[in-house]
Amino acid sequence: MSKGHTIPILHLVRLLLRRNIAVTIFTTNANSPFIRQSLAGTEASIVNLSFPENVDPQLPPGVESTDTLPSMSLFIPFVNAAKLMQSEFDRVLESLPSVSCMISDGFLPWTLQSALKLGIPRLVSYGMSNYAMAVSRVVSRERPHADLNSDDEPFTIETFPWIKLTKNDFEYPFNDPNPKGPHFDFILEAVMATANSKGIIVNSFYELEPKYLDYLNRDAAPKAWCVGPLCLAEPPKVQPLQKPIWVQWLDEMLAKGRSVLYVAFGSQAEITREQLQEIEVGLEHSEANFLWVIRSKRKEFEDGFEERVRGRGLVVREWVDQMEILSHESVNGFMSHCGWNSVMESICADVPILAWPMMAEQHLNARMVVEELGIGVRVLAKKGSVRGFVSAECIENKVRELIEGEKGKEVRKKVKEVGEAARMAMEEGGSSWRTLDLLIEEVCGKK
């Protein structure tokens, strides 16, 4: 229950509907409006469940998705509260006329019990890359970081010896060779539920990361199915009579022949006030044109930042259609947290990435973007660490490198090649198209 997990599943719904598969979506009351708006005009059925209230004093009332949590430190209380929806979920599930398959978010492991009870095959979606899943699996099993003293000390893994990693590339529990506690218990529960499911749906395509998909399907269970990039399933937007202010601004930049850097760090990243100020200074000194979508409780910058960059910089605090922005002809770079949806959308729009990961598996995605795919430039903290405070000077230099430098030209050329491969994978007869057909046939018994 977060936008980053929900959006690709909604895109998958559209692909299933186009193949004459009837789809029923279970959500909660607070999440329902977003889902109904996303699937307006389709034949998908949507069922609202009641999210449990007053389960944990730490959870504010009305919070039903991770992007509305006051802090991601409340993640475990949140997912534990979600487990209490199971009895209502089971009752409604049993009332449906027939169910061929269940697709569940990986962080709802209790849905496996519901599926087994009714004899329904369960597929899992984590919204992660094959690279991140494979590397996390290997590190958890081989524990190559067990004897390291520094979080920045590089290490390699035997299965993929060309990859250099540090402890700072991982969140807990993966950065701890001997993890324990509630967070680890939940991860273990999710992993075990996945292992006993019928498959993993991956928002990626075979040509992007063949080594890692082949490893997962050779060494792990259940089978991973690449059916993406799922953002390409989204139908063309009907432009309203009055375009959003940010689209109007991008149109103006295009008319003036100016290229734009898009800046966004997702809906969950917790950025300190001091770090936000460094971003301000870095963007201002870079002299780049930029559109910054910011999730901050500060209504105005206190130092006149927006006034000083007026004419070449726009700050937006509303929910935006990110794919619409990335696809705009004026946008030629994306300063991103490297959430996997954002990586996929950037690839599909042929826009190179200025990689600045914040949380979850984003550090692994950043390594993949820069070191494996060659479609991005990396932002680093002080002393070259992949995690920590980033200076305004570094931000300024990396923006210039992406927008003006030779490295920027290289990654811009490479991302166009990768973007073309992504589009081919989703076309009829492409690898992801064929994979989805095989998945429907094998798991649901439909041709």
Side-chain angles (χ1 to χ4, degrees):
M1 285 181 288
S2 69
K3 295 292 193 303
H5 288 225
T6 302
I7 289 171
I9 288 182
L10 297 180
H11 290 154
L12 177 62
V13 165
R14 290 185 176 275
L15 293 180
L16 295 173
L17 291 171
R18 289 171 197 165
R19 285 165 166 78
N20 296 316
I21 305 288
V23 180
T24 299
I25 298 166
F26 287 80
T27 184
T28 67
N29 294 320
N31 292 309
S32 184
F34 175 79
I35 289 175
R36 291 177 188 276
Q37 182 181 3
S38 299
L39 295 176
T42 73
E43 296 181 357
S45 300
I46 300 171
V47 175
N48 289 6
L49 302 177
S50 300
F51 193 85
E53 295 181 348
N54 304 317
V55 175
D56 190 307
Q58 299 178 86
L59 288 178
V63 171
E64 298 181 12
S65 63
T66 59
D67 40 285
T68 57
L69 284 173
S71 167
M72 284 304 292
S73 64
L74 297 175
F75 176 72
I76 295 302
F78 175 74
V79 292
N80 285 336
K83 293 178 183 179
L84 301 179
M85 294 191 292
Q86 183 169 5
S87 58
E88 185 184 2
F89 175 67
D90 287 356
R91 283 197 304 274
V92 181
L93 189 62
E94 288 182 83
S95 71
L96 297 179
S98 70
V99 180
S100 304
C101 173
M102 175 194 295
I103 300 171
S104 168
D105 189 274
F107 290 152
L108 302 174
W110 49 268
T111 58
L112 175 65
Q113 301 168 14
S114 305
L116 292 175
K117 190 189 306 181
L118 296 176
I120 301 169
R122 176 188 186 249
L123 297 170
V124 185
S125 170
Y126 280 101
M128 293 169 62
S129 65
N130 296 295
Y131 176 94
M133 288 191 290
V135 170
S136 297
R137 175 180 171 79
V138 171
V139 168
S140 297
R141 189 176 62 185
E142 295 181 4
R143 299 169 67 244
H145 53 332
D147 298 322
L148 299 183
N149 295 318
S150 168
D151 290 340
D152 289 316
E153 185 177 345
F155 64 87
T156 57
I157 48 180
E158 188 176 325
T159 309
F160 307 115
W162 59 90
I163 301 177
K164 286 187 172 60
L165 300 163
T166 68
K167 282 186 182 180
N168 267 332
D169 286 304
F170 300 89
E171 299 284 319
Y172 182 83
F174 297 101
N175 61 0
D176 187 344
N178 300 293
K180 58 185 176 182
H183 200 131
F184 175 66
D185 293 342
F186 172 75
I187 294 294
L188 197 59
E189 180 186 359
V191 168
M192 292 303 296
T194 298
N196 288 288
S197 298
K198 295 296 184 182
I200 302 174
I201 289 178
V202 186
N203 182 17
S204 185
F205 56 105
Y206 180 77
E207 294 81 0
L208 187 72
E209 38 182 351
K211 297 185 191 77
Y212 306 102
L213 178 64
D214 289 345
Y215 163 79
L216 289 172
N217 285 340
R218 182 180 63 248
D219 197 74
K223 183 176 180 179
W225 303 79
C226 282
V227 295
L230 291 168
C231 60
L232 293 178
E234 184 74 6
K237 288 283 188 301
V238 178
Q239 282 291 352
L241 292 176
Q242 182 72 23
K243 293 181 180 179
I245 187 67
W246 53 90
V247 177
Q248 296 178 42
W249 186 83
L250 290 172
D251 288 345
E252 291 172 12
M253 291 293 107
L254 183 63
K256 294 175 181 177
R258 297 184 186 178
S259 62
V260 175
L261 174 72
Y262 172 50
V263 181
F265 300 108
S267 59
Q268 293 177 190
E270 298 175 2
I271 305 176
T272 65
R273 179 180 181 137
E274 291 74 21
Q275 186 63 82
L276 283 171
Q277 288 174 334
E278 293 294 301
I279 298 173
E280 292 174 34
V281 174
L283 289 175
E284 184 176 351
H285 289 180
S286 74
E287 299 182 350
N289 305 297
F290 63 89
L291 170 61
W292 184 2
V293 176
I294 186 170
R295 184 178 184 255
S296 172
K297 294 180 174 62
R298 287 197 295 164
K299 295 193 180 301
E300 298 292 338
F301 293 100
E302 296 171 3
D303 57 358
F305 166 72
E306 289 180 85
E307 189 59 40
R308 291 197 304 276
V309 299
R310 192 177 303 281
R312 69 173 181 87
L314 179 68
V315 178
V316 176
R317 295 175 178 79
E318 302 171 49
W319 177 262
V320 301
D321 184 331
Q322 181 163 282
M323 195 63 193
E324 182 179 27
I325 291 174
L326 288 169
S327 300
H328 198 280
E329 288 182 69
S330 67
V331 174
N332 75 340
F334 181 13
M335 184 188 290
S336 171
H337 63 309
C338 292
W340 190 241
N341 284 346
S342 291
V343 172
M344 286 284 96
E345 290 173 353
S346 208
I347 286 173
C348 293
D350 298 343
V351 174
I353 296 171
L354 187 52
W356 188 349
M358 301 282 172
M359 56 179 287
E361 88 287 6
Q362 294 164 9
H363 287 80
L364 295 178
N365 294 341
R367 282 208 181 268
M368 183 186 180
V369 161
V370 175
E371 298 168 10
E372 293 274 321
L373 302 178
I375 60 170
V377 172
R378 184 66 184 264
V379 170
L380 293 172
K382 292 181 177 179
K383 297 183 180 179
S385 177
V386 298
R387 192 183 293 262
F389 189 79
V390 178
S391 69
E393 182 182 8
C394 173
I395 296 165
E396 175 189 349
N397 291 339
K398 292 300 180 180
V399 168
R400 290 184 183 275
E401 185 178 343
L402 182 69
I403 301 299
E404 304 169 4
E406 289 301 313
K407 184 65 175 178
K409 292 177 183 177
E410 288 177 26
V411 297
R412 198 161 286 110
K413 179 182 177 183
K414 182 64 177 178
V415 78
K416 290 183 188 299
E417 297 171 5
V418 178
E420 180 59 27
R423 291 183 286 274
M424 289 177 64
M426 287 293 283
E427 290 175 357
E428 187 169 357
S431 61
S432 293
W433 179 286
R434 297 194 308 272
T435 297
L436 183 57
D437 282 346
L438 288 171
L439 173 64
I440 293 169
E441 183 178 340
E442 183 172 317
V443 178
C444 302
K446 295 181 181 292
K447 293 187 179 182

